[in-house]
Amino acid sequence: MRKIRAAIMGAGFIGKAHIEAIRRLGFVDIVAVVQQGQSRAEELAAELHIPKAYGNYLDMLQDEEIDVVHNCTPNHLHYETNKQVLLHGKHLLSEKPLTLTSEEARELYRLAEQKERVTGVHFNYRQFPMVQHLRGMVLDGELGDIRVVRGHYLQDWLLYETDYNWRIEPEYGGAARAIGDIGSHLYDLGQYVSGLRVSEVLTDMSTVIPTRYKPLKGASTFGGGEDRGEPVAIRTEDYCSILVKFEGGAHGVFTVSQVSAGNKNALELTLDGSFASGNWKQEEP
């Protein structure tokens, strides 16, 4: 059986994580990398030992050798790039969010059905062994009927007013930041592990730091120093708590924050059932 042939679109931090994971599978070859600008693409291809380099993703999509594309580009590029991947008949694994609007997401869903392509959004926490074990316990009835689903995802990488990143700007990261960026993992895990679908939400959102200082060109993304940079009014949330109702009657609460000191990647999920409770912490996986 021939190996699946994959292309990586965007070889930054998360793109390199995809490359590492794919190479552990054994049945997939990474045959191409895409990065803006041909010279930069060639540098990365050499560094990462990938045979083909493309400075334009549309050129990569003409390559008949490629079966599947991993889209690891920034959020605001996802809709158009994902659409073109499907239109060119490639299978697709996209980093979240699939798009920045629900209307665009529905369009891509219908397009994937029409093209009969295998597609997915990369919610990687599902694959932790203990998450799979907890889901198995739910399916086997070991917790009983699920009554409460609660969790949080806390970070501190935007704790200071001098912390800045493109994800803060809705044009690039989307209208929802904390809940869209990290809260989406919590929603996904809550539904995946419990087997229940969210039916209603009531949300309290807060922009804790209403003005941040964007570094001047060439300065560090994360803050401090004497030159605080350009003040920017923030239009996305730093913190969010959500009351959640599930189909079937279960209730819950999710809390997400990117300004909680001492928390680096504190994702935690608890299911309370009629027999027992189950809990998983990503930092102690």
Side-chain angles (χ1 to χ4, degrees), residues 120-187:
V121 179
H122 190 242
F123 286 111
N124 57 300
Y125 294 114
R126 289 185 179 196
Q127 306 309 324
F128 277 79
M130 291 305 292
V131 170
Q132 290 292 321
H133 181 64
L134 182 55
R135 173 175 161 83
M137 293 176 71
V138 172
L139 292 172
D140 291 341
E142 295 182 44
L143 304 187
D145 295 329
I146 302 302
R147 294 170 170 173
V148 178
V149 181
R150 51 194 171 88
H152 63 244
Y153 200 156
L154 309 176
Q155 298 176 333
D156 67 359
W157 69 289
L158 293 172
L159 179 63
Y160 302 111
E161 62 185 4
T162 48
D163 291 330
Y164 205 90
N165 184 271
W166 60 264
R167 290 173 177 83
I168 289 171
E169 301 178 14
E171 296 84 355
Y172 300 105
R177 190 224 311 161
I179 190 61
D181 186 24
I182 56 176
S184 56
H185 284 291
L186 198 52
Y187 270 102

Side-chain angles (χ1 to χ4, degrees), residues 18-263:
H18 278 244
I19 291 168
E20 173 68 18
I22 291 168
R23 285 176 167 161
R24 291 169 182 254
L25 294 175
F27 57 86
V28 184
D29 283 334
I30 303 170
V31 298
V33 64
V34 182
Q35 195 73 16
Q36 187 173 13
Q38 187 62 32
S39 61
R40 180 56 181 150
E42 290 173 0
E43 288 176 12
L44 282 168
E47 174 189 328
L48 299 167
H49 306 287
I50 296 172
K52 298 181 181 181
Y54 291 96
N56 186 312
Y57 81 100
L58 292 173
D59 294 333
M60 176 272 294
L61 293 176
Q62 303 296 327
D63 189 335
E64 295 183 358
E65 185 182 14
I66 293 167
D67 301 309
V68 58
V69 176
H70 285 235
N71 190 349
C72 304
T73 62
N75 298 4
H76 69 290
L77 301 175
H78 287 183
Y79 166 66
E80 185 58 35
T81 51
N82 285 334
K83 182 177 179 179
Q84 289 300 325
V85 169
L86 294 172
L87 287 172
H88 284 79
K90 311 294 187 187
H91 303 290
L92 171 67
L93 182 64
S94 175
E95 274 294 326
K96 50 84 184 164
L98 180 64
T99 65
L100 295 188
T101 72
S102 57
E103 292 78 10
E104 291 173 345
R106 290 188 190 97
E107 179 186 343
L108 295 192
Y109 175 81
R110 290 190 292 266
L111 181 59
E113 282 193 322
Q114 175 191 333
K115 293 292 185 179
E116 299 182 333
R117 297 297 87 185
V118 176
T119 59
V121 179
H122 190 242
F123 286 111
N124 57 300
Y125 294 114
R126 289 185 179 196
Q127 306 309 324
F128 277 79
M130 291 305 292
V131 170
Q132 290 292 321
H133 181 64
L134 182 55
R135 173 175 161 83
M137 293 176 71
V138 172
L139 292 172
D140 291 341
E142 295 182 44
L143 304 187
D145 295 329
I146 302 302
R147 294 170 170 173
V148 178
V149 181
R150 51 194 171 88
H152 63 244
Y153 200 156
L154 309 176
Q155 298 176 333
D156 67 359
W157 69 289
L158 293 172
L159 179 63
Y160 302 111
E161 62 185 4
T162 48
D163 291 330
Y164 205 90
N165 184 271
W166 60 264
R167 290 173 177 83
I168 289 171
E169 301 178 14
E171 296 84 355
Y172 300 105
R177 190 224 311 161
I179 190 61
D181 186 24
I182 56 176
S184 56
H185 284 291
L186 198 52
Y187 270 102
D188 181 69
L189 271 188
Q191 295 183 110
Y192 177 71
V193 176
S194 71
L196 306 173
R197 290 185 63 83
V198 171
S199 59
E200 295 181 62
V201 296
L202 177 64
T203 302
D204 173 37
M205 304 170 75
S206 174
T207 303
V208 177
I209 302 176
T211 301
R212 291 181 180 270
Y213 292 87
K214 186 175 183 177
L216 301 176
K217 189 173 182 180
S220 172
T221 303
F222 299 102
E226 295 181 2
D227 188 351
R228 294 161 64 85
E230 173 192 355
V232 176
I234 302 304
R235 295 170 288 155
T236 54
E237 79 283 359
D238 296 307
Y239 161 88
C240 187
S241 275
I242 312 102
L243 295 176
V244 183
K245 289 184 179 180
F246 294 84
E247 293 176 356
H251 293 248
V253 60
F254 295 153
T255 298
V256 296
S257 171
Q258 294 174 322
V259 290
S260 293
N263 294 278

